[in-house]
Amino acid sequence: GSPALLGVREWWLQRPAAPLNTGDPQPPWPVRVSKSRRHGATVVASLEGVTDRNQAEPLRGCTVWVSRAAFPATENDEYYWVDLIGCTVYGTEAGERVLLGVVDHVMDNGVHAILRVQRQRVDSGGVPQPMLDSRGMQVETLIPFVAAHVHTVDLTNRRLETDWPADF
């Protein structure tokens, strides 16, 4: 969803990074939103100072940012995806709670959210280390973000607990 976009009147826009490192990325800049509404799976908005299609076209492809302070409060068992990113995920192995990794992305499959977890394991010194495959690439696990699998969300301690198996 996009309740934060619809509820605020100041957005920050940032153009996509230039191809082939041809320059530093431009910093985001603020724009005032006159009105906004849902349009299917997207949001359509009128911006102050943008009065026709020719002025709007250069804004195509920009990333839209909204201050976290402007987000509406969540209900119980509701979470903003941005708050889940960076949380440590614990699963199970032989009935024991074990580290699975860290959420680095949340996506939607049309039915529910999915957590992409960058796998980690604890080394002999007790320090989490990235789990790599035979090619040296970071191993990741996709976990459905549904109550049947993720039963504890502790944003204060940045911790998620799941029944997802460590060997999946």
Side-chain angles (χ1 to χ4, degrees):
S2 48
L5 283 180
L6 296 172
V8 298
R9 293 295 166 229
E10 182 178 68
W11 291 356
W12 290 77
L13 301 182
Q14 185 173 32
R15 287 196 170 79
L20 304 174
N21 297 322
T22 56
D24 292 330
Q26 292 183 337
W29 71 94
V31 295
R32 296 283 307 155
V33 180
S34 302
K35 61 183 174 179
S36 61
R37 64 177 171 82
R38 285 187 191 276
H39 182 73
T42 63
V43 172
V44 176
S46 296
L47 305 178
E48 290 181 11
V50 179
T51 58
D52 62 37
R53 186 176 296 263
N54 291 333
Q55 291 175 316
E57 189 61 33
L59 303 177
R60 200 177 179 105
C62 284
T63 301
V64 177
W65 302 85
V66 175
S67 169
R68 179 63 175 90
F71 286 25
T74 57
E75 300 292 327
N76 285 346
D77 294 333
E78 283 187 335
Y79 307 96
Y80 284 111
W81 290 3
V82 68
D83 294 337
L84 300 173
I85 295 171
C87 285
T88 303
V89 181
Y90 292 85
T92 58
E93 183 174 56
E96 298 291 321
R97 181 81 32 223
V98 295
L99 172 68
L100 291 182
V102 174
V103 176
D104 86 321
H105 187 70
V106 183
M107 58 197 126
D108 188 353
N109 72 358
V111 178
H112 54 74
I114 298 174
L115 305 173
R116 185 174 70 194
V117 177
Q118 296 295 315
R119 295 296 305 271
Q120 294 180 340
R121 65 173 54 138
V122 178
D123 68 15
S124 60
V127 178
Q129 297 293 328
M131 188 182 293
L132 305 177
D133 66 15
S134 60
R135 298 170 306 183
M137 302 295 292
Q138 175 83 47
V139 175
E140 63 184 37
T141 296
L142 300 177
I143 301 174
F145 187 62
V146 294
H149 293 297
V150 180
H151 51 82
T152 302
V153 177
D154 180 353
L155 294 179
T156 302
N157 293 304
R158 312 287 299 142
R159 180 183 176 112
L160 307 179
E161 293 189 11
T162 176
D163 64 356
W164 207 253
D167 59 358
F168 190 83

